[in-house]
Structure formats: C-alpha cells, structure tokens
Amino acid sequence: DGIRDSSVTGVQTCALPISTQSARNRFAGIVTRVEKDTVMALVEIQAGPHRVTSLMSRESADELGLAPGVRATGVVKSTNVVVEVEER
C-alpha cells in the first residue's frame, strides 16, 4: 500500500515515489562525499559540472542509504538568495 511506520517515531509515512512537487531545481548525480557526526551529515553530490552540498540529519542520511557512489538527486527549493561582491 506504500505506507510504512517510522522505526523512530512510529508515525506512518508514504514510501511511494514522488511524482510531482513544487521544487523545480533538480540536480541528478552521484554522491561523492558523506561526513557524519552524531547528529548531522554533510552530503555532496556531483551533478555534471555542479557540486550540490546538503546538510541534513544523520538519521535522514542513514535512512536514504547515502554513501559515495550512490545515485541521488539534490532538489533545491529556496526562498533565500545570498548576495556577494568582489573583494575591494
């Protein structure tokens, strides 16, 4: 039925593949680096000429099975833009 129980929270979640969503910036690639501590994980994906970096909970990285060589897609949805200028 596509429904599974989370082993941590007991909350039911949908395990069906996502077919549509509002995030339009998708970077398909290969995981090149995963650094984990006790709480957080830093994940890098090489998507063509682009390197996408994500900071997520360690639990999420473990549940997704993220490791170097795994195919993954970085989906970017942001309401924030950082502005930078050249050094003076």
Side-chain angles (χ1 to χ4, degrees), residues 1-76:
D1 64 0
I3 303 297
R4 67 179 175 87
D5 286 329
S6 169
S7 61
V8 176
T9 63
V11 174
Q12 287 189 338
T13 58
C14 181
L16 298 174
I18 296 171
S19 58
T20 61
Q21 60 175 281
S22 62
R24 301 194 189 281
N25 301 306
R26 302 174 61 82
F27 296 90
I30 304 293
V31 175
T32 55
R33 181 171 75 146
V34 178
E35 291 183 21
K36 298 178 188 175
D37 66 15
T38 56
V39 177
M40 300 301 292
L42 174 73
V43 178
E44 287 186 0
I45 299 171
Q46 188 67 43
H50 308 288
R51 182 179 60 141
V52 178
T53 303
S54 177
L55 186 61
M56 65 181 68
S57 70
R58 179 188 181 117
E59 180 182 4
S60 293
D62 289 343
E63 285 182 3
L64 291 169
L66 296 176
V70 170
R71 296 178 68 110
T73 301
V75 181
V76 179

